[in-house]
Amino acid sequence: MSLMARRQRAALYAGSLLSLAALMPPITRLADQRLSLHMAEEMLILALVIPLLAYGAAPLLAGRSGSWMHPVGGILALNVVLFGSQYPAVLDLSVRNAVFQELTQAAFMLGGFLFWSPIVSRNGLSAVAKIGCLMVAGVPPSIPGLTLALSHHLFYQAFRSLEDQQVAGLLLFGTAKFALITGTFVILWRLLTPQPDPPDRDDGALPSGDLPPGAPAWLERLTEELPAEAGRPRLPIASRR
């Protein structure tokens, strides 16, 4: 088994265990006591648990992801579950009704999984496209986070502390930004990290394009052939008098 396969299996196991621990009744009952604890639980799932699950499940979904895992759909799904889970009527009902709470948690994890799957996958999207998705997805969570953090009146019937509501808003704003920025730096790190030498290559031989051994991934992309349109001669532009 390759090192990558071992990492993905370990990520799948770790994500599964963390998701079970985060959704156990003692944890959920504790989170229902304060809005800040509820928000911390959701942000832990979004920023750590779901990326681990998506990375570990990537080999199982290879070739089957199709259009339902399109990055645009993932961004929409992420923001729908983020806004929906913080809507006062939804959150108040989830605290009172255990069945509805489980349904909202399942929807939250599904929306996060749809977003993170194209990001953590090594196939499909380019590194630049992944960074663009992370930057776009990081804008909408600022709205509910800042609204809760800067508000001076209570939004929820289940939680009656204004200070606790403001802390929850800061957690939503800060953790969502931290997770997306961290993902961006990881992608940039992989893009700039030198690629390992193939084990069967002669040390004296150079890769295609006369690149030095261990060239970064972005440098190797510069040696790819340009599209056919790039080689066509350009017509002179007639001067205007």
Side-chain angles (χ1 to χ4, degrees):
M1 184 183 297
S2 64
L3 177 59
M4 183 181 300
R6 290 197 296 269
R7 287 177 178 175
Q8 289 175 318
R9 177 171 293 184
L12 184 60
Y13 290 157
S16 301
L17 292 175
L18 286 174
S19 63
L20 290 175
L23 300 177
M24 289 180 63
I27 302 297
T28 56
R29 284 197 297 267
L30 178 63
D32 290 341
Q33 297 178 8
R34 298 182 67 86
L35 182 59
S36 57
L37 295 178
H38 176 85
M39 191 69 68
E41 179 192 29
E42 284 193 345
M43 292 300 101
L44 175 65
I45 293 174
L46 177 64
L48 179 61
V49 175
I50 299 179
L52 287 173
L53 290 174
Y55 178 72
L60 304 177
L61 299 175
R64 306 174 188 174
S65 53
S67 60
W68 67 283
M69 280 191 181
H70 193 276
V72 175
I75 294 174
L76 292 176
L78 173 67
N79 287 285
V80 165
V81 297
L82 270 178
F83 277 84
S85 63
Q86 310 312 322
Y87 190 70
V90 174
L91 187 52
D92 287 336
L93 181 58
S94 67
V95 173
R96 297 193 304 266
N97 190 306
V99 176
F100 184 76
Q101 185 180 63
E102 293 177 358
L103 292 176
T104 56
Q105 288 173 341
F108 185 84
M109 294 190 67
L110 177 60
F113 190 87
L114 290 175
F115 169 74
W116 282 111
S117 290
I119 303 299
V120 300
S121 175
R122 290 182 173 268
N123 301 318
L125 293 179
S126 65
V128 175
K130 292 179 180 180
I131 293 175
C133 290
L134 289 170
M135 294 178 65
V136 171
V139 176
S142 304
I143 300 174
L146 291 177
T147 300
L148 294 176
L150 302 178
S151 177
H152 294 287
H153 68 276
L154 292 169
F155 288 102
Y156 305 98
Q157 296 296 326
F159 306 101
R160 306 302 299 171
S161 172
L162 181 60
E163 292 77 10
D164 183 53
Q165 179 178 282
Q166 293 172 344
V167 172
L170 291 175
L171 285 172
L172 173 58
F173 177 81
T175 309
K177 294 292 185 183
F178 175 79
L180 299 177
I181 291 174
T182 301
T184 301
F185 275 103
V186 170
I187 294 172
L188 288 174
W189 178 266
R190 289 179 177 177
L191 188 63
L192 298 175
T193 299
Q195 300 299 303
D197 297 339
D200 55 348
R201 195 183 75 189
D202 185 9
D203 292 339
L206 290 175
S208 60
D210 296 333
L211 291 176
W218 64 268
L219 186 58
E220 294 185 359
R221 289 189 176 92
L222 295 181
T223 64
E224 297 177 356
E225 295 184 1
L226 294 174
E229 291 78 3
R232 296 177 182 176
R234 297 183 178 180
L235 297 177
I237 301 175
S239 60
R240 296 181 179 179
R241 296 182 180 179

